Amino acid sequence: MSETATVAVVPGDGIGHEVVPAALEVLDAVADIEFVHAEAGDAVAEQRGTPLPEGTLEAVSEADATLFGATGETSADVILPLRDAVDSFVNVRPARTYPGVDAVQPETDLVILRENTEGVYAGVENRLTEDVSTLTRLVTQSASRRLAEFACDYVESNGHDGFTVAHKNNVMRVTDGLFVDTVREEAAARGVDVDEAYMDAMATHLAMDPAGYDVIVCPNLAGDVLSDLAAGLVGGLGLLPSANIGSERGIFEPVHGCAPDIAGEGIANPSATILSAAMLLEFLGADGAARDVRAAVEATLADGPRTPDLGGTATTDAVAEAVVDRLPE
Ligand code: GGG
């Protein structure tokens, strides 16, 4: 990070207002960043008549990167347009286990590369009659190719053997047919190995033997669902970060939502958001700071205070302080 970066900060709803300040404490301790605070979500919709005020869209569009918290009922009107605003074509969702944290599948160490612009999340839904509603599943060759190019770059630069593409082209013959054909073609052109799996069968294999997967490339909805499944394997949604990567900008957010059941209690696990902040630092070129933050989170999970989702009684703030205490001097 050569000069002071500008980072938009959008807590969103619910526990977003607890985990984002926790991550800011950590970012403040490791980097010189100018924060621009903005609001979005259900509460804003009630107060201002729109869940995504113009100023927020502008702040995210202009910042070098954004730290986002969580969305609630207005998810489709908040996070989807924000991803569009930064031209985010892929959502990177790593899932791994941590020493000291109970995991259903301790061998899990994988990353999901989720298509981030289309599929059933393209927003083409209609209510035709009282009885009938429809949804158009959009799949383009250009978005599939862009994802595949990113996946090839990702496996090459991170030393992976190849990737597995998840799809359902036996049922969605045209849309997933185009998706998987394009991904296959791009990987072949780049000399990258590709395995294939039907996404439903992959869910079973993931639950039973996640060590069989390393990098997973998949359509939008499949990525959303499979990453929540992966969270369940490693100890819960409080541990999964994500990066919405665009050509020049990115939005970094925990995989979890706004958790209305615990919002306001100050006990949400901030690890996923702090790990998202580490991905943000890496995106901005601050690789050393990103490594320090990851190591401090790992050390805290190993022997530090824990929030109730991990069997402890600590508060969000106590975990954030423990992470800051474990950063190098
Ligand atoms: N921080 C992630 C979040 O708020 N997730 C809620 C949600 O429904 N997200 C939809 C999506 O990731 O596409």
Side-chain angles (χ1 to χ4, degrees):
M1 229 162 56
S2 49
E3 53 198 65
T4 305
T6 305
V7 169
V9 178
V10 188
D13 283 308
I15 60 167
H17 288 279
E18 296 154 47
V19 292
V20 166
L24 290 184
E25 247 186 80
V26 178
L27 280 176
D28 256 338
V30 295
D32 185 16
I33 289 175
E34 188 190 328
F35 296 112
V36 178
H37 295 270
E39 49 182 17
D42 301 351
V44 181
E46 268 178 38
Q47 292 154 9
R48 299 176 57 177
T50 171
L52 187 58
E54 200 51 46
T56 302
L57 201 57
E58 214 173 275
V60 171
S61 307
E62 288 171 4
D64 297 307
T66 295
L67 183 67
F68 186 86
T71 57
E73 295 305 313
T74 50
S75 197
D77 301 315
V78 174
I79 193 63
L80 302 188
L82 288 181
R83 288 175 184 155
D84 263 357
V86 300
D87 183 33
S88 171
F89 58 95
V90 58
N91 191 319
V92 181
R93 297 186 154 191
R96 53 159 292 203
T97 49
Y98 292 90
V101 175
D102 275 345
V104 174
Q105 286 289 7
E107 303 300 307
T108 311
D109 186 2
L110 55 88
V111 61
I112 292 171
L113 304 180
R114 165 188 176 191
E115 199 289 319
N116 216 20
T117 59
E118 48 187 39
V120 294
Y121 283 16
V124 194
E125 278 194 291
N126 284 296
R127 179 71 178 261
L128 298 184
T129 67
E130 196 176 327
D131 187 39
V132 180
S133 57
T134 62
L135 177 149
T136 301
R137 184 169 195 259
L138 174 73
V139 174
T140 63
Q141 192 176 48
S142 49
S144 307
R145 189 170 305 286
R146 209 171 171 200
L147 174 69
E149 283 167 359
F150 181 91
C152 291
D153 290 344
Y154 187 92
V155 300
E156 282 171 5
S157 54
N158 292 289
H160 298 279
D161 293 334
F163 61 79
T164 308
V165 57
H167 60 88
K168 193 76 184 159
N169 73 351
N170 56 338
V171 175
M172 294 179 279
R173 293 188 184 103
V174 177
T175 50
D176 264 7
L178 176 60
F179 174 73
V180 76
D181 286 350
T182 307
V183 171
R184 251 190 235 131
E185 197 180 285
E186 183 61 30
R190 295 277 298 267
V192 170
D193 286 344
V194 184
D195 280 337
E196 290 179 29
Y198 290 133
M199 56 179 82
D200 49 350
M202 180 186 277
T204 307
H205 292 147
L206 265 178
M208 298 180 75
D209 182 22
Y213 295 103
D214 184 14
V215 178
I216 295 170
V217 174
C218 54
N220 204 338
L221 174 62
D224 204 6
V225 174
L226 292 174
S227 51
D228 274 35
L229 169 60
L233 303 179
V234 301
L237 277 164
L239 297 170
L240 250 67
S242 86
N244 299 281
I245 303 292
S247 37
E248 290 175 24
R249 296 180 163 77
I251 300 175
F252 300 81
E253 54 166 336
V255 165
H256 63 69
C258 65
D261 53 330
I262 57 163
E265 291 182 36
I267 54 163
N269 186 346
S271 304
T273 313
I274 299 173
L275 291 166
S276 302
M279 294 178 92
L280 179 152
L281 288 166
E282 207 164 45
F283 181 78
L284 295 177
D287 292 3
R291 268 195 303 277
D292 290 345
V293 170
R294 285 198 185 102
V297 170
E298 191 166 327
T300 305
L301 288 170
D303 65 9
R306 286 165 184 228
T307 44
D309 58 309
L310 298 181
T313 55
T315 62
T316 309
D317 291 346
V319 174
E321 277 165 33
V323 172
V324 171
D325 286 347
R326 286 162 174 77
L327 289 167
E329 293 287 308

